[in-house]
Amino acid sequence: MSLNTGIGPRTAVVTGAGSLTGIGFHTATRFAQEGWAVALIDVNAGGLEQAATGVLDQVPGAQVATFVLDVTDAEAVAAVAAAVAASDLPPVGTLCNIAGIPSPAAFLDTSLVEWDRVLAVNLTGPFLLSQAFVPQMIEGGYGRVVNMSSVTAQHGGGVFSKTSYAAAKAGVLGLTRGMARELAEHGITVNAVAPGVVDTDIRVGSDEETERALAAAVPLKRQARPQEIAALFVWLSCEDSAYITGITHSINGGSYIA
Ligand SMILES: NC(=O)c1ccc[n+]([C@@H]2O[C@H](COP(=O)([O-])OP(=O)(O)OC[C@H]3O[C@@H](n4cnc5c(N)ncnc54)[C@H](O)[C@@H]3O)[C@@H](O)[C@H]2O)c1
């Protein structure tokens, strides 16, 4: 049964959807299963095509569009938003800002170039995408923004991603709270999702021992499945979540309890 009963067909815009093992791809697939059209965005063109095929394999007949985009490129973001508006996709109902990169460098070893890139992808990207797509939501009379943060924003990082990632993902929480206040008058909700360790390929180069240590440190003794994070993004995009805004939704197996 679709979670959207009254709003009619809508499009879910999902960034970071171009990895078949990633949270963005699973989120797009779950949206399609719930009857949404999906606009997949990623910087990885090949991955994006595989993702579109992957969604259609699981949900034959789904309406799927792809847009190759670096979320840090302001002009390109505006062009993609215009292309989505001009397409035959239904009105945009939600923007899920999931694209992100890790930063395993220790604080004292982090170059300014790396710092700038980590903030650009993880924080400036959601800012740019939101500015570009929210006007379409206001016009369409329905809107949700769900931003990807991380438990790293809450506890400062540790085994893998470190301080610049923690700063970027903490910035996402401030962005979310500010947008939630300012966009409430339009009926648009803005929330953040803060996962703990999730079983994806984001930790490039991480060995089995590190992965086991990450799981062992979680009270529930396992990593999250990307599908579990996807379900939260979809729920926060649906009508049932209309009275929840500006909140950090922790989904971390108990690894940060506050
Ligand atoms: N996996 C985890 O343990 C975990 C935990 C907490 C938060 N997160 C966050 O979840 C999000 C998704 O991560 P994932 O684990 O699915 O990793 P992933 O590497 O599978 O997916 C990230 C996607 O973002 C894309 N991307 C990277 N830079 C981009 C850019 N500049 N423009 C457009 N797309 C870009 C990549 O190509 C990739 O497809 C990230 O924001 C990550 O920080 C992940």
Side-chain angles (χ1 to χ4, degrees):
M1 194 189 75
S2 169
L3 290 171
N4 283 317
T5 50
I7 61 169
R10 296 282 156 167
T11 297
V13 177
V14 182
T15 76
S19 164
L20 288 179
T21 56
I23 298 164
F25 167 71
H26 287 285
T27 300
T29 302
R30 182 67 189 265
F31 272 116
Q33 287 166 341
E34 298 287 345
W36 293 65
V38 286
L40 312 185
I41 289 176
D42 206 284
V43 72
N44 175 353
L48 207 47
E49 283 318 303
Q50 286 181 348
T53 306
V55 173
L56 286 167
D57 280 349
Q58 293 193 48
V59 191
Q63 195 172 358
V64 183
T66 58
F67 300 89
V68 179
L69 173 70
D70 181 336
V71 296
T72 70
D73 181 339
E75 272 181 33
V77 169
V80 165
V84 169
S87 73
D88 59 0
L89 290 164
V92 172
T94 186
L95 166 66
C96 296
N97 283 308
I98 297 179
I101 55 170
S103 67
F107 171 66
L108 290 176
D109 300 331
T110 303
S111 68
L112 181 57
V113 170
E114 179 170 358
W115 167 267
D116 283 345
R117 186 67 188 162
V118 170
L119 263 80
V121 177
N122 292 296
L123 178 57
T124 308
F127 161 75
L128 292 173
L129 269 288
S130 300
Q131 266 201 341
F133 279 103
V134 164
Q136 295 181 30
M137 298 183 200
I138 293 172
E139 199 180 326
Y142 182 89
R144 303 278 191 263
V145 179
V146 192
N147 292 321
M148 180 62 92
S149 182
S150 167
V151 71
T152 306
Q154 298 161 316
H155 68 32
V159 178
F160 200 76
S161 269
K162 297 201 167 62
T163 300
S164 48
Y165 182 79
K169 293 300 192 184
V172 168
L173 302 183
L175 174 72
T176 300
R177 291 173 186 141
M179 284 176 58
R181 278 195 187 280
E182 293 195 44
L183 299 176
E185 66 178 287
H186 302 290
I188 290 174
T189 68
V190 186
N191 286 283
V193 170
V197 61
V198 188
D199 185 12
T200 73
D201 289 340
I202 197 170
R203 289 176 296 279
V204 187
S206 172
D207 55 28
E208 262 182 48
E209 198 184 324
T210 305
E211 292 298 303
R212 261 199 305 275
L214 285 168
V218 178
L220 283 176
K221 296 296 172 210
R222 66 172 176 86
Q223 301 192 5
R225 292 184 288 275
Q227 293 89 339
E228 293 174 308
I229 315 301
L232 186 50
F233 272 88
V234 173
W235 187 74
L236 288 169
S237 297
C238 291
E239 290 173 294
D240 278 353
S241 65
Y243 205 59
I244 300 172
T245 195
I247 299 300
T248 303
H249 299 265
S250 292
I251 174 164
N252 58 35
S255 56
Y256 179 82
I257 299 175

